[in-house]
């Protein structure tokens, strides 16, 4: 028996969210220039400050060069060949769910995210984003009772412009990087969360992103603000149909935590990864960053990355407030010709700040899975600590696992500890499970889940089993 | 570009190309003219103090002078070679079993190890090729066991460029102690190429002390290991205003064993960097690497450690650990392991820590009545111990423990 | 219980085997019938664990020639999980740690796979917890161990108890216990021994691989085999085990050789 081959077969599994919803969409013509930006802004009836924000970002973007990361080669994107705005044609701003096109509701139901009152998930409020537009948000009223704002960012722009003006672009500046600048210029929609002082958000908040059009770039923008002594847990899920062209997804997520606030941000990313020959799939170039502005604030990222042709993503924490805490828990599974370059940056600025990184990479097929991290302790960050652990598991002799943990310290009273290992599924572990009657496939998936358990434990309850299933699905070889 | 100007002027100041190494000189000078000096965008040089690199080129190349260093007395049984002019030691009598390579053999071998190690475009290598006018090329004959000492003292206000090739034939064993010493306002560039044939074993000790004001060093170590060979490096780097050490070790068919134990200690405004690379070109290779650094005052310590395990290197076992102490508020430590692994049946681990001396340990000693300075010194000694305890008696004559403690216990 | 007319469970004939191109077994013969208890003893490195792993189907070990039959069926082609399901159990000399995999979940999945084979219904989490609580008593194990990862951080003795717990749950027909008694303190040894006794029944058989008489004092073997250099060189009853305890393998080896020469 060739163990490697069999494990590889198990890891390969057809994508089950690849369908396209047949719905009339309104798209603006392809191409990008100031007129297009004005058009987008106009369509969304945005205030002047936001149009200016976009235009400034566009100017910056023009001056920037598309990054050329080592080891991440991809067919260059023709930015004039993309559509920068697409939305279901029928009027999108609905007062109630009953008015939403049933096709859209069906789509989300098929994806396991029922929105209707009877079926919706209890204890999770969902913002469903279809192509560039948020189509529905559940439990809005209940949240409003607690003063929590959870809506699409377009809605927030019109209802709470002062919050947007105050916070947008303050964590990820418009010129932060090429894709962030592009996003700032053309972002279409996304989610907005505001948790007022002293409120613990009564339920999980969740956005579900669905790309439907093939030639449309995806530029969501998410902004989450947790005021003093508040807390929130936010989940993000993503899927896309199978197209044989590459779709660009360049989102920006900004988190702000004030004094003693806590934000937990979890992602299960399952964008279409392309086929086994590497044709098609999403380019996932995302900028995610959280700022612990307040004392004792806490931001925790957890992510399960299984999709996309190329992922380039480093959810980061700027630990500005004294005694603030940053965490990053990640599982990245790559197969076929997928490339994932992911990791985190923990920037310790405040005193006694702490960070923890746990990263598990699994690479199969001819894929390439890299952990790239930065832990930086600045001279003022007295008493800061970091602990990182990154483990890689390789399946098959053509998969690559790279680890680039970069550590920089300018503070004697701080501690940084980093551990990493690379291994493959141990034959002895497999045999032990098999000799107890557990079949090969199940044994493999048990060991991989076990390998990832440190991260699963950090996912919200509702999500953990979902993520485990997703991983198991990828591993099981059975078509769902 | 300003930086290139430094380099061009330096190139102009060099004597005309000549002698046995003429081809190399032509090649190195051409390369430097074309490529110039790296810029800060160049990832491998990003953290390097490029001003100091430019200063490196400001010093004229030594031609003949001998300097008056005072060296510890030598062990009688061990041959000591001193390389400090570019015309070195031709007159020395070599110990039994060690022979000089003939001109023809040099011709045959030169450049091979550099090529295997893929460093022919490296800056430090090009500088060495451009400047070196002589070469110490030795062979340790089959199954011979020998010891050797090579001392490279820098010359005040000058630059020296030295190059050594050592080939260990099948089953040969060598204990090699290399000592590189700085001087006031000195620059030294050293390239050592080593080839270990099957079953050969090299125990390589390297003591690299800046001593003197504004001493700088660029040194490259290229090692080619055949199957079943053993290479072990114990190295110390301290006291350089600017130093960059680049060990490149290739196991050409895997199945060899490599050990690296390295300590670098920086104080004042020094910057010392180690950029190591170990690549396995075949299965069953072993690596055990421990890299320790201590930084105090306003100094800057850099470590970049690549480990490359391609597909053909199944069953590789590699472990790398980078342990760092940062002792002052203005000091800085950068450490970056880089692991690239494509083979699946491998066991690779790496780790990195940055911390200060442990308070509890310090407290424990203080509570036993030991004063702070002595306690610190004890703890530092303990910290240095897993590197320096590996050094031979012969190397210990260089009294480095004292130096290291003095540099860091303030 | 030496019932030579009862059914043969396991029969091994002239088994030659190797691992990593190194030959280890040189013609092992063994017949195990229902209701029997066998002990296999022998010096370190003689091939006892190798034999047990081959019976359980470890992929690294290659059978060169010979056969292993379970109830008359050739099992050499069966996957290890299939062998477990039909009732072959191996208690490992070195139980493997599997980080992150819950012990409880592992036990449940494996128990159900055996039940499936027996045509019994699968147990859900609650039913299983009831069953496992009962079995825990046999090995006097703290339920807290169920919450931990498989064998991870278990002490040597705890790992061995966990093995017996699995044996209790899987209810095998042939249980091979590879040095399950090593590293146990007196109390644990008693627990393990009484576990083995409780779990054995007239339809099943047990093979104890051990170095010590003390386990055999508690569980009386019907046969004692001495293995050396990849072969069973001598078979006897419990007296043989006592002999070894007294005089060591060296002597027995010599005597056996002499006999061979005499023949
Ligand atoms: N995976 C393996 N690779 C190489 N050699 C092996 C392997 N497994 C077993 N061996 C060798 O086979 C021989 C028999 O080993 P085995 O474990 O079967 O002995 P044993 O009788 O169980 O010994 P002990 O009483 O010490 O447990 C030993 O020499 C051992 O080193
Ligand atoms: Mg054994």
């Amino acid at each position: 028996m060739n163990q490697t081959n069999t494990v590889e077969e198990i890891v390969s599994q057809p994508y089950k969210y690849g369908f396209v919803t047949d719905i009339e969409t309104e798209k603006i013509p392809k191409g990008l220039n100031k007129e297009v930006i004005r058009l987008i802004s106009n369509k969304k009836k945005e205030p002047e400050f936001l149009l200016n924000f976009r235009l400034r970002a566009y100017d910056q973007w023009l001056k920037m060069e598309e990054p050329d990361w080592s080891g991440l080669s991809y067919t260059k994107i023709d930015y004039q060949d993309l559509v920068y705005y697409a939305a279901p044609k029928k009027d999108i701003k609905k007062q109630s769910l009953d008015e939403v096109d049933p096709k859209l509701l069906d789509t989300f139901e098929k994806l396991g995210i029922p929105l209707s009152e009877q079926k919706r998930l209890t204890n999770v409020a969902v913002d469903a984003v279809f192509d560039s537009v948020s189509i529905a948000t559940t439990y809005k009223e209940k949240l409003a009772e607690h003063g929590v704002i959870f809506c699409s960012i377009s809605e927030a722009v019109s209802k709470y412009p002062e919050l947007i003006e105050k916070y947008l672009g303050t964590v990820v500046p418009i010129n932060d990087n090429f894709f962030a600048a592009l996003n700032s210029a053309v972002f279409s929609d996304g989610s907005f969360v505001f948790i007022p002082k002293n409120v613990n958000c009564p339920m999980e908040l969740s956005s579900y992103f669905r790309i439907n059009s093939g030639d449309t770039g995806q530029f969501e923008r998410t902004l989450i603000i947790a005021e003093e002594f508040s807390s929130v847990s936010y989940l993000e899920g993503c899927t896309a149909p199978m197209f044989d062209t590459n779709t660009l997804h360049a989102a920006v997520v900004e988190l702000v935590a004030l004094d003693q606030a806590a934000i937990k941000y979890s992602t299960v990313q399952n964008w279409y990864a392309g086929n086994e020959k590497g044709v098609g799939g999403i380019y996932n170039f995302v900028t995610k960053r959280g700022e612990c502005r307040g004392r004792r604030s806490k931001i925790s990222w957890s992510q399960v990355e299984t999709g996309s042709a190329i992922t380039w993503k480093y959810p980061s924490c700027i630990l500005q407030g004294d005694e603030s805490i940053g965490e990053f828990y990640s599982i990245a599974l790559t197969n076929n010709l997928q490339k994932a370059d992911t990791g985190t940056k923990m920037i310790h600025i405040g005193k006694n700040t702490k960070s923890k990184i746990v990263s598990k990479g699994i690479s199969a097929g001819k894929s390439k899975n890299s952990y790239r991290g930065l832990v930086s302790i600045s001279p003022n960050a007295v008493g800061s600590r970091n602990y990182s652990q990154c483990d890689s598991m390789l399946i098959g002799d053509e998969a690559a696992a790279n680890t680039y943990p970069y550590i920089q310290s300018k503070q004697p009273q701080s501690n940084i500890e980093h551990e990493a290992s690379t291994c493959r599924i141990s034959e002895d572990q497999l045999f032990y499970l098999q000799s107890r009657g557990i079949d090969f496939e199940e044994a493999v998936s048990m060991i991989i889940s076990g390998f990832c358990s440190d991260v699963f434990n950090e996912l919200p309850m509702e999500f953990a089993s979902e993520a485990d299933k997703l991983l198991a699905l990828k591993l099981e070889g059975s078509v769902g | 570009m300003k930086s290139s100007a430094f380099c061009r002027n330096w190139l102009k100041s060099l004597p005309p190309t000549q002698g046995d190494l003429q081809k190399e000189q032509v090649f190195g000078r051409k390369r430097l003219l074309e490529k110039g000096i790296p810029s800060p965008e160049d990832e491998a040089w990003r953290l390097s103090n490029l001003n100091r690199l430019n200063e490196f080129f400001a010093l004229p190349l030594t031609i003949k002078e001998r300097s008056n260093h005072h060296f510890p007395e030598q062990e009688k049984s061990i041959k000591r070679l001193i390389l400090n002019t570019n015309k070195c030691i031709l007159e020395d009598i070599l110990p039994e079993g060690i022979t000089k390579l003939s001109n023809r053999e040099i011709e045959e071998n030169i450049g091979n190890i550099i090529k295997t190690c893929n460093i022919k475009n490296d800056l430090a290598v090009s500088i060495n090729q451009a400047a070196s006018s002589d070469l110490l090329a030795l062979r340790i004959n089959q199954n011979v066991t020998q010891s050797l000492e090579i001392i490279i003292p820098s010359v005040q206000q000058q630059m020296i460029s030295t190059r050594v090739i050592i080939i260990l034939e099948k089953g040969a064993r060598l204990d090699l102690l290399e000592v590189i010493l700085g001087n006031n306002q000195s620059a030294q560039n050293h390239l050592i190429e080593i080839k270990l044939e099957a079953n050969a074993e090299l125990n390589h000790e390297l003591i690299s002390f800046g001593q003197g004001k504004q001493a700088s060093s660029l040194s490259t170590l290229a090692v080619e290991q055949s199957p079943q060979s053993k290479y072990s490096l114990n190295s110390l780097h301290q006291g350089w205003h600017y130093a960059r050490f680049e060990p490149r070790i290739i196991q050409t068919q895997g199945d060899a064993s490599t050990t690296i134990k390295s300590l670098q200690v920086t104080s004042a405004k020094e910057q010392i960097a180690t950029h190591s690379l170990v690549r396995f070109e075949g299965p069953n290779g072993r690596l055990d690497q421990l890299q320790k650094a201590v930084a105090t005052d306003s100094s800057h310590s850099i470590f970049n450690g690549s480990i490359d395990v391609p597909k053909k290197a199944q069953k590789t076992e590699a472990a790398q650990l980078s342990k760092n102490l940062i002792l002052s508020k203005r000091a800085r430590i950068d450490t970056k392991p880089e692991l690239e692994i494509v083979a699946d049946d491998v066991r690779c681990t790496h780790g990195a820590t940055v911390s200060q001396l442990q308070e509890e340990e310090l407290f424990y000693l203080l509570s036993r009545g030991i004063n702070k300075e002595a306690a610190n010194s004890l703890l530092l000694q303990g910290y240095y111990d897993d590197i320096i305890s590996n050094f031979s008696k012969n190397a210990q004559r260089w009294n480095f423990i004292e130096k290291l403690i003095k540099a860091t216990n303030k | 219980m030496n019932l030579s007319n009862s059914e043969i469970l396991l029969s091994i004939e002239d088994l030659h085997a190797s691992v990593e191109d190194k030959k280890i077994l040189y013609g092992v013969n063994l017949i195990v019938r229902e209701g029997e208890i066998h002990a296999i003893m022998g010096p370190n490195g003689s091939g006892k664990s190798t034999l047990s792993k081959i019976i359980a189907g470890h992929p690294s070990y290659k059978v060169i020639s010979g056969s292993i039959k379970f109830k008359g069926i050739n099992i050499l082609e069966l996957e290890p999980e299939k062998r477990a399901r039909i009732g072959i159990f191996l208690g490992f000399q070195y139980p493997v740690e599997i980080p992150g995999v819950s012990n409880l979940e592992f036990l449940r999945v494996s128990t159900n796979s055996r039940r499936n084979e027996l045509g019994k219904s699968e147990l859900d989490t609650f039913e299983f917890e009831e069953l496992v609580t009962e079995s825990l008593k046999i090995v006097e194990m703290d339920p807290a161990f169920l919450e931990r990862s498989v064998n991870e951080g278990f002490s040597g003795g705890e790992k061995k108890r966990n093995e017996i717990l699995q044996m209790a749950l899987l209810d095998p027909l042939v249980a091979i216990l590879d040095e399950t008694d090593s590293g146990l303190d007196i109390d644990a040894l008693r627990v393990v021994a009484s576990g083995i006794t409780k779990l054995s029944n007239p339809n099943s058989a047990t093979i104890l691989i051990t170095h010590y008489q003390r386990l055999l004092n508690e569980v009386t073997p019907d046969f004692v085999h001495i293995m050396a250099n990849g072969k069973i060189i001598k078979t006897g009853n419990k007296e043989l085990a006592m002999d070894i305890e007294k005089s060591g393998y060296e002597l027995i080896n010599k005597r056996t050789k002499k006999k061979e020469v005499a023949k």
Side-chain angles (χ1 to χ4, degrees), chain A residues 43 67 96 102 145 191 216 251 258 392 411 470:
Chain A
K43 276 199 177 296
S96 79
E145 284 168 25
S191 298
T216 312
L258 302 183
S392 315
Q411 191 8 272
L470 176 62

Side-chain angles (χ1 to χ4, degrees), chain C residues 49 93 178-179:
Chain C
S49 296
Q93 182 175 3
D178 191 356
E179 297 199 22

Side-chain angles (χ1 to χ4, degrees), chain B residues 140-309:
Chain B
I140 319 301
N141 296 338
Q142 205 161 331
N143 296 325
V144 162
T145 299
Q146 263 300 355
S147 306
L148 198 61
E149 235 181 78
I150 296 178
I151 301 177
I152 306 171
S154 298
V155 183
Q156 233 182 79
Q157 300 199 332
Q158 296 192 13
M159 175 197 278
I160 65 166
S161 181
T162 47
R163 183 165 179 184
V164 175
I165 296 182
I166 297 181
I167 294 175
L168 283 89
E169 291 191 336
K170 292 201 178 76
R173 274 206 52 173
L174 179 67
D175 288 328
L176 172 66
L177 170 64
E178 269 196 295
V179 182
I180 298 177
L181 299 169
N183 207 326
N184 289 331
Q185 293 220 335
S186 67
Q188 73 90 227
N189 176 300
H190 179 55
L191 170 61
I192 178 164
E193 296 153 81
I194 295 168
K195 179 172 177 178
L196 285 92
E197 293 184 357
N199 288 307
E201 205 176 315
L202 175 58
N203 184 16
H204 188 181
E205 298 177 308
L206 172 61
I207 298 175
S208 166
F209 279 146
Q211 60 190 42
K213 286 196 182 101
Q214 313 249 316
S216 43
S217 161
L218 287 178
S219 94
T220 305
L221 161 66
V223 182
E224 186 181 321
Q225 282 191 264
S226 307
Q228 308 287 334
S229 66
K230 268 189 173 168
Y231 175 72
S232 130
L233 172 70
N234 292 303
S235 74
L236 292 179
H237 304 262
Q238 185 265 329
W240 297 96
H241 186 54
Y242 175 71
R244 185 179 168 103
F245 176 49
E246 301 187 62
R248 297 275 184 271
I249 297 160
I250 312 296
Q251 295 193 359
T252 54
Q253 296 169 58
D255 203 17
S257 139
T258 309
T259 310
I260 302 173
K261 309 259 169 191
S262 201
L263 171 66
Q264 66 192 35
V265 173
T266 55
S267 55
K269 288 187 170 160
E270 294 160 8
Q271 183 185 64
I272 300 185
T274 296
H275 293 252
S276 73
L277 171 93
V278 180
R279 189 166 64 242
F280 299 89
E281 297 275 16
N284 299 312
R286 297 278 173 279
L287 166 68
D288 181 10
Q289 181 174 19
L290 173 63
Q291 179 75 27
K292 283 195 150 186
V294 178
T296 182
D297 301 334
S298 306
S299 67
H300 187 181
S301 186
I302 301 167
F303 171 61
N304 207 103
S306 297
I307 297 178
D308 212 347
V309 185

Side-chain angles (χ1 to χ4, degrees), chain A residues 266-308:
Chain A
S266 316
T267 307
V268 171
Q269 185 261 108
N270 188 20
W271 297 119
Y272 178 53
N275 68 12
E276 67 290 342
K277 295 205 179 71
V279 178
I282 304 282
Y283 289 163
N284 190 31
F285 300 153
V286 174
T287 308
K288 289 185 165 173
R289 193 173 305 154
E291 208 172 291
C292 286
R293 283 199 191 154
R295 270 195 78 230
R296 296 194 172 203
S297 53
K298 176 174 174 182
I299 289 179
S300 173
W301 298 99
S302 25
Q303 58 175 28
V304 177
E305 302 279 318
T306 61
S308 297

Side-chain angles (χ1 to χ4, degrees), chain C residues 19-20 22 24 43-50 61 93 179 211:
Chain C
V19 61
E20 309 213 330
K22 180 181 162 199
I24 293 171
N44 295 129
S46 55
K48 305 179 297 295
S49 296
T50 302
Y61 295 79
Q93 182 175 3
E179 297 199 22
H211 288 295

Side-chain angles (χ1 to χ4, degrees), chain C residues 89-248:
Chain C
F89 178 86
L90 169 60
F92 284 62
Q93 182 175 3
Y94 305 107
V96 180
E97 301 193 1
I98 311 179
V101 174
S102 132
N103 203 21
L104 182 65
E105 185 61 12
F106 156 67
L107 294 170
R108 193 175 72 87
V109 175
S110 58
T111 306
N112 277 335
S113 70
R114 170 91 172 113
R115 290 178 66 91
N116 243 331
E117 186 75 27
L118 293 173
K120 295 188 192 165
S121 64
E122 286 202 4
L123 301 178
D124 64 26
T125 331
F126 298 108
E127 293 166 329
F128 181 69
E129 274 188 35
E130 262 169 51
L131 176 69
V132 88
T133 314
E134 276 313 299
S135 310
L136 276 172
K137 288 181 194 151
I138 300 178
V139 288
E140 297 179 18
M141 228 168 116
D142 190 326
F145 285 99
L146 299 174
E147 304 300 320
R148 293 169 56 177
S149 296
V150 179
N151 293 326
E152 197 187 26
F154 287 23
S155 76
E158 288 160 358
K159 282 182 183 162
K160 297 296 169 75
R161 287 186 202 213
N162 203 25
E163 294 292 291
I164 300 296
L165 174 64
Q166 291 167 42
M167 172 172 153
L169 291 167
L170 293 178
D171 187 20
L173 293 173
V174 174
I176 307 156
L177 301 174
D178 191 356
E179 297 199 22
T180 304
D181 55 335
S182 302
L184 297 183
D185 61 29
I186 302 287
D187 290 342
L189 182 75
R190 186 188 40 74
V191 169
V192 165
S194 84
I196 297 170
T197 314
K198 275 183 210 155
L199 294 172
S200 63
N201 64 54
N203 302 321
S204 70
T206 309
I207 302 172
L208 303 170
I209 296 175
T210 181
H211 288 295
Y212 306 106
Q213 179 61 34
R214 53 177 205 171
L215 177 68
L216 304 181
N217 288 339
E218 311 259 342
V219 188
T220 316
D222 303 299
F223 299 96
V224 174
H225 310 276
I226 310 294
M227 197 160 177
N229 300 322
K231 263 189 187 170
I232 290 178
I233 55 157
K234 195 176 167 75
T235 297
N237 55 18
K238 61 179 191 225
E239 252 74 299
L240 179 57
M242 293 182 204
D243 235 24
I244 290 166
E245 187 98 338
K246 266 195 237 114
S247 9

